């Protein structure tokens, strides 16, 4: 089947570009000598995770237990969830996964660690944990090396919980003193630190520089609009993801409406929402739930109802999560249709 025979809106992916992106980051990490743990939240497709592992990734990340269930069912056997897993229902699912795969999770409080320990006692299970450090990202994480040491001392006494080390996000040079002091404090206490996990696409070399034992990268596979600083430096040859739409109305000169809105592209701010490949001069200026509003005044082209327009979406991970399927294409030919098996797995 050819790509222009697919009904729209449809999410498609240029497999040659995807393959190149996967290989380039794998090669970069190999050259740097830092293990790469890929974050599957960017695609939520088990086949892509396997592809990344085959290229050299040592494991994957999932942000939620539900995503990890999908990946373990698909045969992935080493998963880090860099997220505090809170509540008996989730902990139980996590512990059951930990019987079938190596599962590691983040903790930044005694409550979270105790919850894991209580869940482990229920099913005689074990889970590995990393203490999350807030080294400047200002999301989760303990606030100082002393707080990390304090938490570590309490975690080592908890049954069913194996403290493996620490994690932070994103890797920044300024984080090094925080990481070094934390590792030193834990080692002074006789606590082995096997893992120092850093991350962020584009931060792989920094992870290596600041002494991480692995780096977590996710969005490198899409290199979407959020990864470039303005339209001019966008190299569409590095962006495999496209939303293909159809023009459903040309209501007035200078205005074009396509059949994808927030439920197709996400409403993630700010505009431009996406870059049109056929007519880069177009601006998506707004989104209704199911309509995309385009300002076409900068274009000399006369748009017609029924015409197809393809966009590189602003945020690959958010856009992927809205679609049941992703179509893999080479040139104009459809090669594979993937189920986005982890989509919507927010628990
Ligand atoms: C905890 C954590 N690690 C790693 C990543 C991957 O970052 P990136 O998508 O920039 O590669 C993310 C992304 O948000 C994250 O939240």
């Amino acid at each position: 089947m050819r790509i222009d025979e697919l009904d729209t809106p449809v999410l498609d992916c240029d497999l040659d570009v995807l393959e190149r992106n996967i290989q380039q980051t794998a090669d970069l990490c190999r050259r740097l000598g830092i293990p790469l743990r890929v974050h599957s939240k960017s695609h939520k497709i088990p086949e892509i995770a396997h592809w990344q592992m085959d290229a050299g990734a040592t494991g994957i990340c999932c942000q939620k237990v539900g995503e990890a269930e999908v990946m373990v069912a698909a045969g992935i056997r080493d998963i880090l969830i860099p997220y505090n897993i809170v509540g008996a229902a989730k902990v139980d699912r996590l512990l059951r996964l930990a019987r079938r795969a190596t599962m590691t999770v983040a903790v930044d409080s005694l409550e979270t660690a105790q919850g894991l320990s209580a869940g482990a006692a229920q099913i005689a299970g074990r889970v590995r944990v990393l203490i999350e450090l807030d080294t400047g990202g200002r999301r989760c994480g303990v606030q100082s090396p002393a707080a990390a040491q304090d938490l570590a001392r309490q975690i080592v006494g908890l049954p069913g919980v194996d403290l493996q080390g620490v994690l932070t996000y994103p890797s920044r040079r300024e984080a090094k003193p925080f990481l070094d002091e934390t590792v030193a404090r834990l080692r002074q206490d006789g606590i082995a630190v096997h893992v120092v996990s850093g991350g962020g696409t584009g931060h792989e070399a920094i992870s290596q520089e600041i002494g991480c034992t692995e780096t977590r990268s996710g969005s490198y596979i899409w290199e979407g609009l959020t990864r470039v600083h303005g339209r001019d430096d966008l190299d569409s040859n590095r962006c495999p993801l496209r939303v293909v739409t159809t023009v459903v109305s040309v209501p007035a000169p200078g205005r074009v409406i396509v059949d994808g809105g927030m439920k197709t592209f996400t409403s993630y701010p700010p505009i431009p929402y996406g870059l049109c490949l056929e007519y880069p001069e177009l601006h998506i200026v707004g989104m209704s739930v199911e309509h995309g509003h385009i300002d076409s005044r900068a274009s000399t082209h006369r748009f017609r109802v029924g015409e197809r327009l393809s966009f590189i979406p602003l945020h690959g991970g958010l856009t992927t999560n809205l679609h049941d399927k992703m179509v893999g294409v080479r040139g104009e030919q459809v090669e594979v249709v993937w189920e986005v098996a982890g989509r919507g797995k927010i628990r």
Side-chain angles (χ1 to χ4, degrees):
M1 187 188 248
R2 287 174 53 85
I3 180 175
D4 54 14
E5 293 171 301
L6 295 167
D7 198 6
T8 66
V10 63
L11 186 66
D12 79 45
C13 168
D14 183 316
L15 297 174
D16 291 329
V17 180
L18 176 66
E19 196 164 13
R20 203 164 58 225
N21 288 354
I22 289 175
Q23 201 55 53
Q24 274 175 356
T25 295
D27 291 346
L28 170 70
C29 290
R30 210 172 284 119
R31 274 200 309 279
L32 290 168
I34 186 156
L36 170 66
R37 180 180 286 280
V38 292
H39 209 317
S40 68
K41 74 180 210 183
S42 299
H43 52 74
K44 299 182 176 227
I45 296 175
E47 290 91 331
I48 296 183
H50 277 295
W51 200 348
Q52 292 171 298
M53 297 285 292
D54 291 346
T58 52
I60 75 164
C61 287
C62 295
Q63 209 76 335
K64 294 295 178 82
V65 177
E67 294 171 352
E69 285 168 339
V70 167
M71 294 295 170
V72 171
I76 303 280
R77 288 290 171 261
D78 187 332
I79 300 181
L80 165 63
I81 305 181
Y83 205 96
N84 285 283
I85 305 301
V86 175
K90 279 192 194 70
V91 167
D92 183 63
R93 286 162 52 215
L94 170 71
L95 266 295
R96 285 173 200 284
L97 281 182
R99 290 198 162 143
R100 293 155 60 205
T102 302
M103 297 298 303
T104 311
V105 293
V107 291
D108 73 355
S109 72
L110 183 58
E111 289 84 348
T112 303
Q114 283 170 330
L116 295 172
S117 181
Q122 292 286 321
I123 68 161
R126 302 198 73 79
V127 66
R128 297 154 50 113
V129 301
L130 302 177
I131 294 180
E132 181 165 3
L133 312 176
D134 178 3
T135 59
R138 295 180 64 76
R139 196 164 60 182
C140 303
V142 299
Q143 297 296 304
S144 67
Q149 181 179 30
D150 195 38
L151 182 57
R153 285 175 176 166
Q154 299 179 79
I155 290 176
V156 289
L158 292 176
V161 175
D162 299 324
L163 179 59
Q164 295 290 311
V166 296
L167 81 91
T168 194
Y169 177 78
S171 290
R172 299 178 317 124
R173 288 197 178 86
E174 300 75 17
K176 187 166 168 46
F178 194 140
L179 291 178
D180 287 351
E181 186 183 334
T182 304
V183 171
R185 281 174 177 261
L186 266 53
R187 289 196 173 136
Q188 268 160 27
D189 281 352
I191 300 171
V193 181
H194 303 295
V195 179
V196 179
S197 183
T201 293
H203 299 238
E204 293 82 4
I206 299 173
S207 289
Q208 191 267 344
E209 251 176 78
I210 64 177
C212 294
T213 61
E214 66 172 22
T215 193
R216 309 179 307 273
S217 301
S219 54
Y220 72 94
I221 60 164
W222 302 137
E223 289 289 354
L225 292 190
T226 47
R227 301 233 1 99
V228 293
H229 306 293
R231 298 164 69 93
D232 291 346
D233 13 40
L234 176 66
D235 176 0
S236 61
N237 292 324
R238 295 178 63 196
C239 301
L241 202 59
R242 282 118 178 63
V243 177
V244 184
T245 63
T246 299
V247 174
V248 291
S249 177
V250 187
R255 289 210 293 126
V256 173
I257 306 291
V258 294
D259 61 352
M262 293 178 196
K263 287 187 176 173
T264 300
F265 284 87
T266 85
S267 53
Y268 184 76
I271 56 176
Y273 300 106
L275 178 79
C276 182
L277 287 175
E278 295 86 356
Y279 304 98
E281 67 275 18
L282 292 184
H283 289 273
I284 305 180
V285 288
M287 292 270 175
S288 312
V289 174
E290 296 287 16
H291 296 84
H293 299 240
I294 295 170
D295 179 344
S296 61
R297 283 174 301 175
S299 185
T300 54
H301 180 70
R302 285 195 54 194
F303 290 90
R304 293 170 291 103
V305 167
E307 203 168 331
R308 282 171 176 249
L309 298 175
S310 322
F311 296 88
I312 297 171
L314 177 62
H315 193 299
L318 282 175
T319 305
T320 304
N321 187 51
L322 296 175
H323 294 258
D324 287 331
K325 309 243 187 254
M326 182 187 296
V327 178
V329 301
R330 281 197 209 267
E332 297 303 307
Q333 292 297 322
V334 171
E335 187 166 302
V336 61
V337 180
W338 283 313
E339 192 189 338
V340 186
R343 82 163 271 209
K345 302 284 191 256
I346 54 170
R347 279 188 286 278

